Amino acid sequence: MSITDKTISQPKPGIASQPAAAISLFPPDFLWGAATSAYQIEGAVHEDGRAPSVWDHFAATPGTTYQGQTGEVAADHYHRIAEDVALMARLNLGAYRFSLSWPRILPQGTGAVNERGLDFYDRLVDHLLARNIRPIATLYHWDLPMTLQDRGGWLSRDTAYAFADYAEAVARRLGDRIDLWLTHNEPWCTAYLGYALGIHAPGLRDKQLAVNVGHHVLLSHGLAVPRLRTHLSPQAQVGIAVDFYPVYAADNRPETLYAVKQADTFRNRWFLDPLFRGCYPDDLFTAMGVLSPAIQDDDFSVISTPIDFLGVNYYSRMLVRGCVDGTGAPNDRYETIGHISGSSYTETGWEVFPAGLANILIRIHREYAPKAMIVTESGAAFDDVWDGNDGVHDQKRIDYLQEHIQTVARVVQQGVPVKGYIVWSLLDNFEWAEGYCKRFGLVYVDYPTQRRIVKDSGLWYASFVSSQQAKPD
Ligand code: FCB
C-alpha cells in the first residue's frame, strides 16, 4: 500500500472561524467509518423474540448506572435502520462497525436460532450495501444472554463453545455479504470491568474470576475464527478488537520503570500475548495476586489461531509512578496519575493524548506484527449542547479527531499496516454505567424525540472523508 505525502486543507461546511488543518492524504482504500454496539443503540429489548442479556439485568439493578438508566429504548435504532443508514451516507462513511446481539439471535444462548433476530441484521446489512457502506460486524460487545449467565456465564468453559456456535449461526446467514468480522470487543473490559471491578455486567468483584473469564473469552475467540471462516468468502478478514492504554513513566526512578512494565503487562499484554504469542506474560498472574486460570492442552494453539487483522481501540494513556516496599524494593502496587497539569480531558475524565495512538500502533507492529490493524474505536465525550435548531457546535471533538487522524497518518507513512480509522461513535448512546450523560456521537440524539442532529464534528468528518476519496493529482 502506498501513500503520497501530499497534504490538503480541510473545508468545514457550515462551521465558521476554524483553523484549516492539513492532514496527509491516506491511501484510497483506507477505511473511514464510525462504530456503535447493539445494546448501546438498538433499544427494542422485548421485540421479535429477543431475550434479556446480562446488561438488561445489570442496568435494572439499583445503583449500577447513572440515574438508573438502561438500554431499553437507547437510540431506538432497531426501528430506524433506514434513517440511520441515510445519516451514515450523509457522513460519507465507507464503513460502519456494529455489533450483533447474541440474545436476539439465540435467546437461550444456545440451540434454536431466532430467525427474526437475524432478519434485523440482514436488513441492516442490505441497507448498508445499498449505500456502498462496508459492514464490520462485531459478534460480542458485552451483551451475553442472561440464560448463559445463569449457567455461569464466561466463568463456564461451555460458554466458549456456545460462542463458537453462535458465531457460525451468524456467519451462515450473513457471511455472503460481510467481509470484515470481529469476534470480541475489548476482552479486558469483559473480564476486568465485569468480574473484578464490578462496574460492568455482571457486576462481580474478584480478580481471580476476571482471569478465569479472560481465558474463556480468549478461547471462545479462537474457537470461533475457523467456524466463521467456513461460511465466509476467501477474501473475508477476521479479527478481534482489543483496548489499549500505552503506559508512560511519571519519573525515571527504578520503581517507576518497574511500574510501567507491570501496568503494561496488565493493561496491554494480558490479551495480546496469548493471541499472538500463544502464552500469557510470565508475571501477569503473580503481579495480579491470582492463580493462573485452568488451561487445557490445546488452548493456546486455539487462542493463537492466526487472524487477518487486529482491531485497536484507543482512548487515552496511563501515566504511572512506582512505589517501594519496606525494604526499598519496587512494589507491585503503583500509582496512576489522574490529573496531569497542562493536559486536557474529555467528559469521561480521559486525558486527550493523540501521541499514545502512534505509540501503541507502532509498538504492536514491531512486537506482535499483526498482518494489518484497523483503529476500531477512537473518539471522545464532550459537553455537547444542541442549539434547538440544526446545530451542535462541538469544536473540541473536531480538534480531537483531527489530531488523532493526523497521528494515524504519520504512522501509516512509516509503513505500519493500519488500514482504517473508525470513530466511536456514530450516534450518542447508552454509555454503559454512565448512562446517557456522556455523548460520544458524531450525531447528537435528542432522546425525548429521538431526533438526530449532525454535530459540527459529523459535518467535519463528512467533508474530511470526501476529501480523502478525491483522486490524488
Ligand atoms: C469502549 C467501548 C464502547 C464505548 C467506548 C466509549 O471501551 O467499547 O462501547 O463505551 O468505550
Side-chain angles (χ1 to χ4, degrees):
M1 182 180 281
S2 67
I3 181 160
T4 81
D5 58 5
K6 179 182 165 191
T7 59
I8 45 171
S9 288
Q10 299 309 311
K12 315 272 186 342
I15 308 169
S17 66
Q18 298 209 7
I23 296 185
S24 304
L25 194 62
F26 284 78
D29 58 351
F30 196 86
L31 275 183
W32 297 103
T36 61
S37 88
Y39 189 68
Q40 293 180 276
I41 64 162
E42 286 177 1
V45 295
H46 305 295
E47 279 175 56
D48 295 335
R50 179 189 180 278
S53 78
V54 287
W55 263 96
D56 296 274
H57 190 263
F58 182 72
T61 309
T64 56
T65 65
Y66 174 76
Q67 294 185 350
Q69 292 169 348
T70 74
E72 188 161 356
V73 178
D76 195 36
H77 169 71
Y78 194 79
H79 301 118
R80 292 165 194 264
I81 295 184
E83 180 190 352
D84 288 344
V85 175
L87 270 174
M88 295 176 212
R90 213 178 131 197
L91 297 187
N92 293 324
L93 302 191
Y96 172 54
R97 175 180 173 224
F98 62 96
S99 80
L100 294 102
S101 157
W102 186 346
R104 277 196 200 288
I105 294 167
L106 290 162
Q108 299 308 309
T110 56
V113 171
N114 172 33
E115 296 298 337
R116 286 181 298 163
L118 276 173
D119 290 346
F120 168 71
Y121 298 105
D122 205 299
R123 287 196 302 277
L124 172 64
V125 168
D126 284 346
H127 275 274
L128 291 169
L129 295 177
R131 302 243 187 200
N132 260 326
I133 300 169
R134 212 161 150 192
I136 306 177
T138 307
L139 288 163
Y140 187 76
H141 203 126
W142 307 349
D143 46 355
L144 189 75
M146 197 58 207
T147 46
L148 289 184
Q149 188 62 37
D150 292 338
R151 287 183 256 150
W154 289 110
L155 287 167
S156 162
R157 198 175 160 94
D158 290 346
T159 299
Y161 295 97
F163 177 76
D165 291 343
Y166 155 62
E168 185 167 359
V170 174
R172 194 177 286 126
R173 177 80 174 264
L174 300 173
D176 58 336
R177 280 158 293 153
I178 302 179
D179 64 3
L180 284 168
W181 294 80
L182 293 156
T183 53
H184 280 268
N185 180 69
E186 302 188 349
W188 189 95
C189 292
T190 303
Y192 207 75
L193 300 185
Y195 287 80
L197 296 182
I199 56 176
H200 278 190
L204 301 177
R205 290 169 199 266
D206 180 336
K207 286 188 204 171
Q208 184 64 58
L209 300 185
V211 301
N212 298 350
V213 159
H215 189 68
H216 292 151
V217 169
L218 281 164
L219 181 66
S220 76
H221 156 80
L223 292 167
V225 170
R227 301 279 296 278
L228 283 168
R229 286 193 176 129
T230 322
H231 300 278
L232 308 183
S233 71
Q235 304 78 36
Q237 295 172 47
V238 181
I240 178 169
V242 181
D243 50 318
F244 296 102
Y245 276 74
V247 185
Y248 289 75
D251 56 60
N252 56 12
R253 294 175 310 144
E255 55 269 33
T256 292
L257 303 183
Y258 178 75
V260 167
K261 197 167 161 289
Q262 300 275 100
D264 179 57
T265 300
F266 168 62
R267 200 59 190 78
N268 299 313
R269 292 182 51 204
W270 175 357
F271 291 91
L272 210 42
D273 280 27
L275 288 166
F276 288 94
R277 297 180 175 160
C279 58
Y280 285 111
D282 280 345
D283 46 354
L284 172 68
F285 302 124
T286 33
M288 285 177 74
V290 297
L291 302 172
S292 164
I295 301 170
Q296 296 189 9
D297 278 354
D298 284 343
D299 284 3
F300 282 127
S301 61
V302 172
I303 291 169
S304 60
T305 301
I307 52 175
D308 305 300
F309 71 104
L310 176 68
V312 173
N313 290 5
Y314 173 75
Y315 288 94
S316 194
R317 66 158 168 175
M318 276 172 84
L319 185 67
V320 299
R321 184 184 290 139
C323 307
V324 285
D325 63 19
T327 68
N331 198 315
D332 280 345
R333 300 163 70 99
Y334 49 82
E335 189 191 341
T336 306
I337 318 256
H339 195 86
I340 302 155
S341 83
S343 284
S344 53
Y345 289 84
T346 69
E347 281 293 295
T348 43
W350 301 340
E351 186 195 5
V352 177
F353 195 72
L357 179 53
N359 171 325
I360 202 70
L361 290 168
I362 293 169
R363 184 264 182 107
I364 294 171
H365 172 59
R366 287 201 185 125
E367 295 180 18
Y368 298 87
K371 288 179 202 151
M373 288 182 274
I374 293 178
V375 177
T376 34
E377 284 183 29
S378 168
F382 290 113
D383 51 351
D384 303 323
V385 179
W386 174 36
D387 68 8
N389 294 310
D390 292 324
V392 177
H393 306 302
D394 58 338
Q395 181 60 43
K396 287 188 202 158
R397 186 172 290 101
I398 297 176
D399 296 343
Y400 186 100
L401 294 175
Q402 277 185 331
E403 288 167 6
H404 285 76
I405 291 171
Q406 183 67 72
T407 301
V408 176
R410 285 192 216 106
V411 170
V412 172
Q413 278 163 344
Q414 289 175 41
V416 177
V418 183
K419 308 289 185 185
Y421 179 87
I422 312 291
V423 177
W424 184 271
S425 173
L426 172 71
L427 300 169
D428 290 341
N429 60 51
F430 176 73
E431 179 45 34
W432 309 113
E434 308 273 14
Y436 297 96
C437 74
K438 300 288 185 278
R439 294 179 176 270
F440 277 87
L442 293 169
V443 177
Y444 186 93
V445 177
D446 176 47
Y447 293 109
T449 60
Q450 292 293 347
R451 187 173 153 194
R452 274 80 163 125
I453 301 105
V454 178
K455 301 179 192 177
D456 285 354
S457 60
L459 298 172
W460 176 83
Y461 195 56
S463 141
F464 168 73
V465 171
S466 101
S467 73
Q468 291 294 316
Q469 288 155 349
K471 295 239 179 326
D473 321 320

